[in-house]
Amino acid sequence: LYTLCMKTIRPVAFGLMLCFLLSPLVANAQDRPGGNTIVGDTGIWFVPTGETLPKGRWSGGAQLVNEDRSEGFSDITDIGGMFAFGVSDRVELFGTFSYRRIDADLVPVAANGQPQDYLIRQGWKTGIGDVWAGAKFKLLSQRDNPSGYSVAARLMAKLPAASFDDGLGTGKADFQVDLITSREFSEKVELSLQTGFKVRGSPDGYNLTQGLKWGDGAAFPSRSRFRGIAEMHGEALEDQDQRFTGSN
């Protein structure tokens, strides 16, 4: 999957792929397989679902996430692993870690706007990426809900493991909360919607902003180990006027 992110008023990342999921597809409460998102919880790929792992079950896998950013004409790749564990039938703990590579063709990167999650300073850098960890709480299950929807709340935090000095990360913790709704139709297609809010920590010299996160995705056939998936996700930044306030 190749994801393209463009700096617009509402940056959107589009993804479409026919794939074999590297992570184990663990059956959930609906007796259908579920993969891991890029942060580890049960979901499609970028977009989570309202389902959680059954109590005592776990899932995990390897992933490569590539992103192109207009800021600095940067190519960003994270290679790592993710995991999830069902604490109960309604609570899931999850996390992800990675090795990060950034290739920026335009320096200084701020000439094309302020990146929000990477403070790119060099043309080429590699190192440990940030760590994400969190919990997802299933509020409604499709099996038990008369309306047939699964609903979950997700809380997660970024542990700033990526090097601030090398520009691989911000060096500050971030937090995100999401409300997720999903439903499987006729045991063939699974659809999911996500809305959330992300709070970023700002290092000295930067005024990073909060943002409204959103996403929608579909998986077909939903009960097969080989699935075609389509996703659309993005973020509406609270403050569009991003400036570097420190010294070069």
Side-chain angles (χ1 to χ4, degrees):
L1 178 66
Y2 188 78
T3 303
L4 176 65
C5 293
M6 302 179 63
K7 185 174 177 60
T8 61
I9 292 179
R10 299 179 65 181
V12 180
F14 294 93
L16 179 63
M17 73 174 179
L18 179 65
C19 69
F20 172 71
L21 297 179
L22 294 176
S23 57
L25 295 177
V26 180
N28 58 26
Q30 292 291 122
D31 296 322
R32 66 179 183 270
N36 296 87
T37 68
I38 64 168
V39 293
D41 64 318
T42 300
I44 300 175
W45 198 39
F46 280 84
V47 180
T49 65
E51 295 294 339
T52 58
L53 291 173
K55 181 179 180 180
R57 299 295 295 273
W58 66 274
S59 65
Q63 63 181 349
L64 184 153
V65 180
N66 179 260
E67 180 182 5
D68 285 346
R69 299 287 294 266
S70 61
E71 302 95 335
F73 300 120
S74 304
D75 180 87
I76 303 163
T77 300
D78 283 296
I79 303 174
M82 64 282 200
F83 72 94
F85 177 74
V87 178
S88 72
D89 288 336
R90 291 185 176 272
V91 179
E92 177 180 275
L93 300 181
F94 60 88
T96 185
F97 62 94
S98 68
Y99 186 81
R100 179 166 295 163
R101 187 205 71 178
I102 294 181
D103 179 17
D105 294 328
L106 177 63
V107 178
V109 65
N112 236 20
Q114 175 61 60
Q116 291 299 299
D117 299 307
Y118 319 93
L119 303 183
I120 305 166
R121 296 191 180 89
Q122 306 293 331
W124 179 278
K125 279 293 180 181
T126 59
I128 300 299
D130 292 312
V131 176
W132 281 91
K136 185 161 69 174
F137 306 88
K138 184 162 60 178
L139 307 177
L140 292 175
S141 171
Q142 182 172 349
R143 170 175 290 180
D144 303 327
N145 183 12
S147 66
Y149 291 91
S150 296
V151 179
R154 184 177 70 172
L155 304 173
M156 57 184 185
K158 183 194 80 176
L159 308 179
S163 173
F164 169 75
D165 293 334
D166 290 337
L168 294 172
T170 66
K172 297 292 183 180
D174 297 343
F175 301 92
Q176 185 172 326
V177 57
D178 297 281
L179 183 64
I180 307 151
T181 302
S182 64
R183 183 176 182 179
E184 185 188 33
F185 295 87
S186 303
E187 299 185 358
K188 295 184 180 301
V189 179
E190 185 171 33
L191 301 179
S192 186
L193 297 173
Q194 164 208 359
T195 57
F197 192 74
K198 185 173 183 177
V199 178
R200 292 180 172 89
S202 290
D204 293 340
Y206 294 85
N207 63 327
L208 305 185
T209 186
Q210 293 75 244
L212 177 66
K213 302 284 288 186
W214 61 270
D216 57 77
F220 172 85
S222 56
R223 297 187 179 237
S224 172
R225 289 183 175 270
F226 294 88
R227 300 188 293 172
I229 71 172
E231 294 181 324
M232 183 170 64
H233 62 98
E235 179 179 6
L237 300 178
E238 182 178 277
D239 181 5
Q240 291 295 321
D241 186 19
Q242 295 300 297
R243 300 179 184 275
F244 174 66
T245 60
S247 59
N248 292 324

